[in-house]
Amino acid sequence: MSTRHASRGGRSSALLRTLRWLWSPTGLIVTGFVLRLAFILEMGNHFYFADTLEYEAAANNLLHGHLPDAASPRAPLYPALMAIGIAMGGLRDYPLARLLQLPLAMSIVLSTGRIARRLGGAGAERLALFGAAWAPTLVFVTGMLYPTTLYTAILLGITEFALSLRETPSTRNAVALGVLLPLGWLTDQVILAPVSAILLWLAAVRTRTQAGFTRALLIAMAISAAIATPYVLLQREAYGYHAIPMQKAQYVLYWARSDHDMDADRRVHVPVDSTWKPLPTQAFLAQEWHFIRTQPADYAHDVVWEFLHFFKPMPDRVQSRNHYNQSYILLLGAIYFLPVLCFSFVGIMAGSGRWRERILLAGVILATAAFYSLFFTQTRYRVPVEPYMIVLAAVGLQRLFPRLSSQLGNSAPEAR
């Protein structure tokens, strides 16, 4: 009997040690890595969304020394990443292309944990690492051959260095921020929306070494301009003024206003049989001003509707059909996101950590949602700001359940 009890006690002790390790930062990071690697391997050598072929074509163009087609321009950084995969494994080697995204996916998990630790200490870090490691949407985009993972990793890096620059306005932080800003723009021009919120936050904060902070910020801006300018000039030389910015966003907006399946939720419509063509910035703004002037209530309805839809837990508006967007998988995404959404509200209003840092995270989320609400919103566009919501949810939980936080890690710092 004593031997049997000792055996049971040994197994219980081993299980407890395993559970403690799984809940440790290292265990959570390893779990996140295993989940993503398994998902990449499970996807096989297939693509599941049509835009992948456009990114692959842009990558192949880069390998042959050509810029992306002016009729369908793609920001070059993600095609450059795909080009590395093509150079290593050839065209249609999708598992290799996905494996190249795995380090970026893990950097997202790590950044989420570091930002949470900055706000709420070790307890918030573990909650955020758990959320980021297991988030179905963050796992899924690791296998998507889209710029989403690259974009999210860069945006989180910009946020981390912006936070560091406010506390320590060093040349190192300034250079890192200055490099990441144009890299984000070369990945997706949408980043101008959250980056605007970050820059406004940096301009509004005050530090004890304001002169050094201003100098560091100027260094970052100068480096950003130095990196972005050659690409702008190269694009201008290749395309003149024919490469219209935000072409895809313009088309999606037209589709949302004309498609029968979409226009039930929208009030500004265009004829189904109208011909779409991309507009230069001035002409596009004139078109939108016409709708605002002639249909102000309808236009406001559509913007507010899309803003709220940005945060809809249940993924919808999915056009591609494959076994990854079946109803039960979409429901899994909703089950994950709903508590994140609810607790992130608590985190914004009363979470642990400095209120100025929580404002920054909220600003990135809201700026992204506001930008997309002018066009069209869906779950994929929300993924890059979900790590911010996970952090806010972690510090919100920490505020609501302080004893739990103490058990998970070190005591949370007081809000200041």
Side-chain angles (χ1 to χ4, degrees), residues 82-119:
M82 288 194 76
I84 296 173
I86 294 173
M88 294 172 62
L91 284 169
R92 305 293 191 268
D93 190 344
Y94 299 124
L96 177 58
R98 293 185 177 104
L99 285 172
L100 291 176
Q101 295 186 160
L102 186 55
L104 295 168
M106 292 312 302
S107 78
I108 292 170
V109 177
L110 292 170
S111 289
T112 305
R114 285 195 298 265
I115 294 173
R117 188 180 184 92
R118 182 189 295 266
L119 267 69

Side-chain angles (χ1 to χ4, degrees), residues 62-368:
L62 286 177
L63 281 177
H64 290 85
H66 306 300
L67 286 172
D69 185 358
S72 181
R74 293 290 185 178
L77 197 58
Y78 183 70
L81 180 63
M82 288 194 76
I84 296 173
I86 294 173
M88 294 172 62
L91 284 169
R92 305 293 191 268
D93 190 344
Y94 299 124
L96 177 58
R98 293 185 177 104
L99 285 172
L100 291 176
Q101 295 186 160
L102 186 55
L104 295 168
M106 292 312 302
S107 78
I108 292 170
V109 177
L110 292 170
S111 289
T112 305
R114 285 195 298 265
I115 294 173
R117 188 180 184 92
R118 182 189 295 266
L119 267 69
E125 178 190 30
R126 294 193 189 191
L127 285 168
L129 284 174
F130 174 78
W134 285 88
T137 48
L138 294 180
V139 173
F140 181 75
V141 297
T142 306
M144 279 186 72
L145 295 173
Y146 275 49
T148 309
T149 296
L150 176 61
Y151 174 91
T152 306
I154 292 175
L155 182 59
L156 283 167
I158 290 170
T159 305
E160 280 199 82
F161 280 106
L163 287 165
S164 297
L165 192 69
R166 187 184 72 84
E167 294 181 356
T168 309
S170 65
T171 301
R172 171 185 172 275
N173 288 331
V175 170
L177 183 62
V179 170
L180 286 174
L181 286 171
L183 291 183
W185 178 71
L186 292 172
T187 302
D188 193 334
Q189 292 179 352
V190 170
I191 206 168
L192 293 175
V195 161
S196 296
I198 292 171
L199 293 179
L200 283 173
W201 181 84
L202 283 172
V205 298
R206 291 291 180 267
T207 66
R208 296 176 182 176
T209 57
Q210 190 62 33
F213 173 76
T214 302
R215 183 172 59 253
L217 199 56
L218 290 174
I219 290 172
M221 295 301 101
I223 292 173
S224 294
I227 295 173
T229 299
Y231 175 74
V232 172
L233 294 177
L234 180 64
Q235 192 178 48
R236 186 75 52 81
E237 181 181 351
Y239 302 140
Y241 292 90
H242 298 294
I244 300 172
M246 307 303 295
Q247 282 196 40
K248 185 64 179 291
Q250 288 190 41
Y251 172 74
V252 170
L253 179 60
Y254 163 79
W255 169 69
R257 288 172 173 170
S258 61
D259 186 85
H260 287 299
D261 293 330
M262 287 298 308
D263 62 12
D265 296 325
R266 302 180 69 105
R267 295 181 181 175
V268 176
H269 305 303
V270 297
V272 178
D273 58 353
S274 61
T275 301
W276 175 81
K277 64 177 182 179
L279 300 174
T281 301
Q282 186 173 356
F284 175 74
L285 293 176
Q287 169 191 276
E288 296 306 294
W289 175 244
H290 169 75
F291 287 129
I292 293 172
R293 183 169 49 84
T294 58
Q295 305 177 61
D298 293 338
Y299 197 93
H301 167 274
D302 288 354
V303 171
V304 173
W305 168 259
E306 291 294 341
F307 183 86
L308 295 175
H309 184 270
F310 183 85
F311 299 99
K312 183 178 180 180
M314 187 70 175
D316 62 356
R317 297 177 171 179
V318 180
Q319 299 303 303
S320 301
R321 297 300 173 192
N322 54 65
H323 63 277
Y324 294 117
N325 50 38
Q326 296 182 56
S327 57
Y328 72 92
I329 293 179
L330 299 181
L331 181 60
L332 178 63
I335 292 171
Y336 137 76
F337 184 70
L338 187 58
V340 170
L341 176 64
C342 294
F343 287 116
S344 65
F345 283 127
V346 179
I348 292 172
M349 302 305 297
S352 58
R354 299 181 181 90
W355 66 268
R356 283 187 292 188
E357 293 171 344
R358 303 198 310 271
I359 289 295
L360 172 62
L361 304 188
V364 171
I365 297 166
L366 296 176
T368 303

Side-chain angles (χ1 to χ4, degrees), residues 388-403:
Y388 297 81
M389 300 181 73
I390 289 171
V391 171
L392 289 169
V395 297
L397 275 168
Q398 197 172 44
R399 179 62 69 190
L400 290 174
F401 306 104
R403 287 187 179 180

